[in-house]
Amino acid sequence: MSLAARLNRKPQRPGPSSASSASSASSGSAKSSPRRGQAPVRPDLADHYFDIKTRIHDRLIDMIDLSLLDSLSESDMRAEVAKVAEGLLWEEFQNAPLNLAERKRMLSEIQDEVIGLGPLEPYIKDPTVNDILVNGYRQVYVERSGKLELTPARFKDDNHLRKISDRIVSLVGRRIDESQPLVDARLLDGSRVNAIIPPLAIDGPSLSIRKFSKDPLEVADLIGFNSLTQPMAELMDGIVKARLNVLISGGTGSGKTTLLNCLSRNIPEDERIVTIEDAAELQLKQDHVVRLETRPANIEGRGEIGQRELVKNCLRMRPDRIIVGEVRASEALDMLQAMNTGHDGSLTTVHANTPRDALMRLETMVSMAGLNLSPISMKRYISSAIDVIIQATRMVDGTRKVISIQEVTGMEGEMITMQEIFAYEQTNVSAEGKVEGYFTARGIRPKFAAKLERMGRTFPRDMFDVAARPGRKE
């Protein structure tokens, strides 16, 4: 029996309070975003359109036993919800002045409210959207091709936005309320989510979603986007297969996680990989992967499991490779200890603007662990653990590029020494706002090239020669 047939279809006309209810379902504005290819609601009908949608959604929630939906696939759920909603539309509002296109749009939006993420659902499904940024219930921005643009979408009110945020974080066993007014979570496809509510967010709830492609980018895609060159890709492939410890550095939105995903593709299939993240978002393609995720404290403030505890635990899990999504605090010490005690080939990321800044941040994070190390001992510890630093940057035109690959060569006096192997040189910004420049080798053959050769990975002699490979212009 279909869901529609099992529902209580007894007519229940909504009262005046229903019509004016601050329902979490309504998009709540004549400016609600149409899907691509849909015409916007007629301005003269806008208020009536959203009033009808609110009332239908209120009745639908009252009628549907949501537990029945759990046993259905998403496509079946959408079909059943549409069937019931369409029946309500014809039964309750036969004289509603809606044309066929508006009725179809309304049914689609009601499906999104019941099953999906309401006004955000069209942008979740839009492959051209990289980020969704909600600044209170009135403003929804998206990023396309590295540029932010304001959308016509909005929520009905703060409560509507809070309920959508609750729906997202509850899917991964997390919560957001007055006792825990900020949370990191993820969508089921791995997309990263951050939500923050008053009193921390002064102007109302805020929601940020960093979308991940269902088909993860490969190194060939990055080369096609001119984010790096083929010689750089070949070097990074050799670095991973030679089990060198790699630190990926970059600012927010610079592509660190994407680059980490691409590097992980080079890990052999016969190695055991353990990943550690605050919110699981890495998209590894190997079969032998164990994914660990931190746990926030419960409502009583107990039970928190941080990255440091997970790094310590993973050392007992017989990993061949340890991948930490991002080191932010004292877990940096345990990560460095793993790199220095036989767990070579580890990968991690850190927020920093330059490779030198990345090393300084590591020093700061190690000191947060409370270990009484002298500054010189700390630097030696870091220099012996990290082999390569890869710097990713988001350029002013929104493009992401690998602007530097540097080898950590050791210590000279009280300073960690590095040598740059490849770099990106920016020469100009065009009249259209596009960054112009070229990739180039620095004429330095890395010290680890000998290790790569012993493992059967050789490179052309002229690959690191500036004169032979001056780079290509964009």
Side-chain angles (χ1 to χ4, degrees), residues 247 308 327-340 348 350 357-386 416:
L247 178 66
R308 187 170 189 185
V327 288
R328 296 185 178 92
S330 57
E331 66 271 6
L333 173 62
D334 301 280
M335 183 71 195
L336 294 173
Q337 285 180 327
M339 291 176 172
N340 272 322
T348 189
V350 66
D357 289 345
L359 293 177
M360 294 173 60
R361 278 217 67 201
L362 281 181
E363 293 179 41
T364 302
M365 290 185 286
V366 170
S367 65
M368 294 169 65
L371 192 63
N372 190 20
L373 277 178
S374 65
I376 186 68
S377 297
M378 188 184 303
K379 290 180 179 179
R380 285 174 178 163
Y381 200 69
I382 293 172
S383 67
S384 65
I386 304 296
I416 300 175

Side-chain angles (χ1 to χ4, degrees), residues 199-227:
L200 302 186
I202 298 174
D203 298 322
S206 177
L207 187 66
S208 305
I209 301 176
R210 170 69 52 81
K211 284 179 57 183
F212 279 5
S213 172
K214 293 182 179 179
D215 186 17
L217 294 176
E218 303 289 347
V219 173
D221 298 315
L222 299 186
I223 295 173
F225 297 150
N226 206 21
S227 296

Side-chain angles (χ1 to χ4, degrees), residues 17-28:
S17 61
S18 243
S20 60
S21 157
S23 166
S24 67
S26 172
S27 296

Side-chain angles (χ1 to χ4, degrees), residues 404-437:
S404 181
I405 299 178
Q406 298 203 21
E407 177 186 23
V408 179
T409 56
M411 294 283 296
E412 186 174 310
E414 296 186 359
M415 178 174 288
I416 300 175
T417 56
M418 296 184 290
Q419 58 183 14
E420 192 168 53
I421 305 167
F422 285 102
Y424 177 79
E425 292 287 352
Q426 180 179 339
T427 58
N428 197 9
V429 177
S430 69
E432 295 78 24
K434 297 294 184 182
V435 170
E436 297 177 346

Side-chain angles (χ1 to χ4, degrees), residues 33-274:
S33 170
R35 291 178 182 274
R36 291 196 167 198
Q38 289 183 333
V41 177
R42 290 169 284 162
D44 60 322
L45 187 64
D47 292 339
H48 194 45
Y49 173 91
F50 290 107
D51 179 59
I52 293 173
K53 191 174 76 168
T54 300
R55 294 162 67 184
I56 289 180
H57 183 273
D58 286 346
R59 283 211 59 197
L60 193 65
I61 293 299
D62 290 338
M63 294 172 62
I64 288 182
D65 180 359
L66 295 178
S67 63
L68 297 178
L69 296 177
D70 294 338
S71 59
L72 302 176
S73 65
E74 182 177 351
S75 59
D76 290 337
M77 282 192 289
R78 286 186 171 274
E80 295 293 349
V81 169
K83 189 183 301 182
V84 179
E86 189 171 14
L88 286 174
L89 182 61
W90 286 103
E91 176 185 325
E92 300 292 336
F93 305 102
Q94 294 182 21
N95 298 322
L98 302 179
N99 59 37
L100 182 60
E102 289 163 343
R103 288 177 183 270
K104 287 183 177 180
R105 178 186 168 188
M106 180 179 292
L107 292 175
S108 177
E109 291 178 356
I110 290 174
Q111 287 175 314
D112 290 340
E113 295 289 350
V114 175
I115 299 170
L117 302 181
L120 304 183
E121 191 69 16
Y123 305 108
I124 293 291
K125 295 180 177 179
D126 187 345
T128 67
V129 171
N130 299 319
D131 289 89
I132 303 172
L133 308 172
V134 183
N135 304 336
Y137 73 90
R138 294 184 182 90
Q139 286 185 334
V140 178
Y141 284 84
V142 298
E143 181 196 284
R144 288 190 176 97
S145 302
K147 295 295 183 180
L148 290 176
E149 56 185 66
L150 178 64
T151 72
R154 60 168 287 175
F155 293 80
K156 181 177 179 62
D157 51 28
D158 283 343
N159 287 333
H160 185 196
L161 178 53
R162 284 280 300 272
K163 289 179 180 179
I164 294 297
S165 301
D166 287 338
R167 183 181 301 176
I168 293 173
V169 301
S170 63
L171 289 175
V172 291
R174 304 199 174 191
R175 62 186 176 85
I176 183 167
D177 50 39
E178 285 72 15
S179 63
Q180 186 171 321
L182 57 87
V183 66
D184 284 319
R186 57 181 167 82
L187 300 180
L188 296 181
D189 64 358
S191 297
R192 184 188 313 165
V193 178
N194 176 269
I196 185 167
I197 62 174
L200 302 186
I202 298 174
D203 298 322
S206 177
L207 187 66
S208 305
I209 301 176
R210 170 69 52 81
K211 284 179 57 183
F212 279 5
S213 172
K214 293 182 179 179
D215 186 17
L217 294 176
E218 303 289 347
V219 173
D221 298 315
L222 299 186
I223 295 173
F225 297 150
N226 206 21
S227 296
L228 50 85
T229 62
Q230 184 63 40
M232 295 167 71
E234 292 174 4
L235 181 65
M236 290 192 293
D237 174 69
I239 286 170
V240 174
K241 289 182 177 175
R243 301 183 65 87
L244 300 181
N245 294 321
V246 180
L247 178 66
I248 300 173
S249 169
T252 300
S254 59
K256 298 186 300 297
T257 303
T258 297
L259 195 55
L260 184 57
N261 273 323
C262 290
L263 287 179
S264 71
R265 305 282 192 273
N266 300 320
I267 298 176
E269 288 283 350
D270 60 352
E271 294 189 12
R272 176 177 171 85
I273 305 169
V274 178

